[in-house]
Amino acid sequence: MTRTEVLVIGAGPAGIAAATAAAENGRQVIVLDDNLNAGGQIWRGATVEKAGSSHQGNAAKRRAMTRLQQSGAQVLGGRCVFSVEASGTLQTLQETGSDSLVEQFQFDQLILATGARERFLPFPGWTLAGVFGAGGLQALVKGGYPVAGKRVIVAGTGPLLLAVAAHLAQDGAAVSSVLEQATLAQLAPFATSLWANPAKLVQGARYRGKLWKTPYRTGSWIIEAIAGSDGRKLGAVRVTNGTRTWEEPCDLLACGYHLVPNTEIAALLGCTFRGAFVQVDDAQRTSLPNVFCAGEPTGIAGLEAAMVQGEIAGLSCAGLIGTSLQKRAVVERAFARRMEKAFSLRPELRSLPRADTIVCRCEDVAFGSLHGRTSWTDAKLQTRCGMGPCQGRTCGPAVEYLLGWRPVSVRQPLFPVPLQAFCSHDERVEINQLKEKV
Ligand SMILES: Cc1cc2nc3c(=O)[nH]c(=O)nc-3n(C[C@H](O)[C@H](O)[C@H](O)COP(=O)(O)OP(=O)(O)OC[C@H]3O[C@@H](n4cnc5c(N)ncnc54)[C@H](O)[C@@H]3O)c2cc1C
């Protein structure tokens, strides 16, 4: 059992800012993340550094990481939090090669900075090889997956599409289209409001600059991914703008429908929610004593919001109030609301899956099997939808959008944990010997 005053779950921008602020103000801090390295989604370190790549040297990341290192906060990577008790303990799983290890941590204060994940919506062909989540493909490319010379279409909704398309183009991909399902009329007020936020405007312009040859088609969405001549891999996509339908050839499709917050730990603890998000006050306090939350679980608002909220949460743990930061957080919250409205999903996306389109990829449940089911629990019991290793993280938000069913409960372990992880050293040695024999 490791003890600490402040435990931060998530080493993305929010968790880094929170840990730094708390540690700089005298608190003993441990940060846990299931990724090996700190950085979260946006600052995910390139595992294969490419010489001369301008993805390196992100100044904000460098500043944040340096401050974190100097703060004295301890970052423990490769630890996935799978259970937590409001009384002040949690358990992590660490997988090292063939072995798995469960560790326990005890804390006085907890900061949840667990970020968000992509929302996927099923459409015919979305399980073909070559179809990726937008952020998923970007993460693979950051890890060394080669896209140079490949024809890529980026589709779905949200500001992430431009960021991903720019990243892929910079890595040599031929990005032939960016397809945004939101209409120009939906996006226009959001785009105009960016004049009040020069940093975001510059960022958007920078992305667009890297994509000057690539059309950004609003009000357009993928209705089908079509296999190439081998029948297995993606060869083209069928696209519509509601009045016209056309096909575009491609090798890869990067498709995601904005983000959904990672709120399972908050739900497990019993924090109060505001819609899909964890409810927090101006000091990032949740409804539970000594539990704070920062970044995407409190609202999808982007990098600046995550850093500001993280810093407020860290200061709060040290008994301090960041008044000027709180004013910035209010501005960022308004930005999040505008973004949510701009990228709201069109109803036509609900009619994309056919009866044989897979919805739950872990358990191979087709959309047709959900007909006649009345709720998420009914679907789980009768079809095993959401019962696989991802525990509904992928199909849950899709089913919620398609059929309006909200998951009813979150249970621990949040992630599959091998029984071996709970065994003593001797038992593990015995299990490994048995495995070798088998
Ligand atoms: C796939 C993806 C790609 C993105 N790419 C970009 C981009 O290119 N540009 C851009 O501007 N924005 C991007 N974003 C949005 C960006 O992540 C946010 O704007 C912001 O940076 C979020 O910061 P955060 O600290 O709240 O969350 P994150 O950066 O998501 O960090 C959360 C961290 O918590 C960890 N975590 C979660 N649950 C657990 C658990 N149970 N146990 C241990 N650790 C856990 C995660 O591993 C992660 O490292 C992306 C988002 C996603 C989902």
Side-chain angles (χ1 to χ4, degrees):
M1 175 78 80
T2 307
R3 247 208 70 79
T4 184
E5 289 175 351
V6 178
L7 193 65
V8 182
I9 310 179
I16 291 173
T20 306
E24 282 177 349
N25 288 286
R27 304 294 284 160
Q28 180 204 6
V29 183
I30 290 181
V31 192
L32 303 171
D33 200 296
D34 55 357
N35 287 321
L36 280 178
N37 300 310
Q41 298 292 358
I42 186 169
W43 293 335
R44 185 184 286 275
T47 30
V48 179
E49 288 285 334
K50 298 181 189 83
S53 163
S54 55
H55 300 321
Q56 297 170 25
N58 179 319
K61 174 185 177 180
R62 260 204 317 271
R63 263 197 311 275
M65 300 300 272
T66 307
R67 255 184 81 189
L68 174 70
Q69 274 156 15
Q70 290 169 351
S71 73
Q74 190 186 1
V75 181
L76 301 178
R79 264 84 165 184
C80 178
V81 178
F82 67 86
S83 94
V84 55
E85 307 283 343
S87 56
T89 54
L90 62 72
Q91 296 188 81
T92 61
L93 174 69
Q94 189 186 11
E95 296 196 275
T96 48
S98 62
D99 211 1
S100 337
L101 186 70
V102 168
E103 288 172 291
Q104 298 192 340
F105 292 84
Q106 220 170 25
F107 54 87
D108 299 329
Q109 292 164 312
L110 181 67
I111 302 179
L112 306 176
T114 44
R117 58 183 183 273
E118 287 187 271
R119 181 194 280 117
F120 301 108
L121 294 180
F123 52 86
W126 78 298
T127 51
L128 280 174
V131 181
F132 294 83
L137 182 57
Q138 184 193 36
L140 278 177
V141 169
K142 284 181 183 177
Y145 182 76
V147 287
K150 293 197 177 139
R151 294 167 305 173
V152 185
I153 291 178
V154 180
T157 203
L160 184 58
L161 299 188
L162 267 187
V164 169
H167 191 115
L168 299 178
Q170 200 166 317
D171 269 54
V175 182
S176 45
S177 294
V178 178
L179 305 169
E180 168 56 66
Q181 60 87 43
T183 59
L184 191 57
Q186 233 175 300
L187 294 176
F190 173 70
T192 312
S193 75
L194 289 181
W195 285 106
N197 193 325
K200 289 191 171 75
L201 197 64
V202 168
Q203 191 187 34
R206 209 176 280 147
Y207 289 149
R208 208 58 198 100
K210 287 179 189 155
L211 296 164
W212 60 276
K213 281 193 203 150
T214 305
Y216 179 77
R217 298 185 208 282
T218 54
S220 303
W221 64 99
I222 305 266
I223 51 174
E224 185 172 4
I226 305 162
S229 52
D230 72 351
R232 270 186 348 98
K233 280 199 218 119
L234 179 72
V237 289
R238 191 164 292 134
V239 183
T240 186
N241 59 8
T243 49
R244 195 168 68 83
T245 298
W246 68 96
E247 275 183 27
E248 289 192 30
C250 59
D251 303 309
L252 302 174
L253 167 63
C255 186
Y257 290 89
H258 207 28
L259 305 177
V260 285
N262 292 326
T263 52
E264 290 78 11
I265 295 178
L268 202 57
L269 284 167
C271 295
T272 301
F273 277 64
R274 181 184 40 83
F277 300 105
V278 180
Q279 185 182 302
V280 286
D281 66 9
D282 289 349
Q284 301 301 132
R285 280 186 292 249
T286 68
S287 57
L288 300 180
N290 295 319
V291 179
F292 301 76
C293 188
E296 310 284 57
T298 69
I300 306 297
L303 174 66
E304 284 81 13
M307 290 198 294
V308 169
Q309 291 182 10
E311 192 162 352
I312 296 172
L315 290 175
S316 298
C317 283
L320 301 167
I321 303 170
T323 312
S324 61
L325 289 169
Q326 287 180 352
K327 284 188 191 142
R328 279 175 59 197
V330 171
V331 174
E332 295 296 343
R333 270 199 290 278
F335 172 77
R337 282 194 294 275
R338 288 196 300 275
M339 185 156 68
E340 193 176 338
K341 197 166 165 199
F343 295 103
S344 58
L345 298 177
R346 58 174 54 244
E348 291 94 325
L349 300 173
R350 291 199 176 95
S351 53
L352 295 184
R354 298 183 189 137
D356 63 351
T357 305
I358 295 293
V359 172
C360 171
R361 299 179 72 139
C362 298
E363 295 288 331
D364 267 348
V365 180
F367 188 54
S369 326
L370 300 179
H371 289 161
R373 307 273 64 95
T374 53
S375 67
W376 181 241
T377 308
D378 185 25
K380 275 175 102 168
L381 291 174
Q382 304 297 331
T383 69
R384 290 198 55 80
C385 184
M387 300 278 273
C390 93
Q391 289 289 287
R393 270 182 194 76
T394 305
C395 63
V399 169
E400 187 176 346
Y401 183 67
L402 294 172
L403 300 165
W405 302 335
R406 281 210 63 134
V408 283
S409 67
V410 178
R411 296 195 194 152
Q412 33 199 356
L414 290 170
F415 298 92
V417 182
L419 278 177
Q420 181 184 350
F422 295 97
C423 298
S424 68
H425 175 74
D426 290 348
E427 286 165 335
R428 281 214 290 273
V429 170
E430 206 175 318
I431 290 171
N432 282 334
Q433 283 167 352
L434 278 171
K435 268 192 199 161
E436 272 166 31
K437 269 192 207 156
V438 173

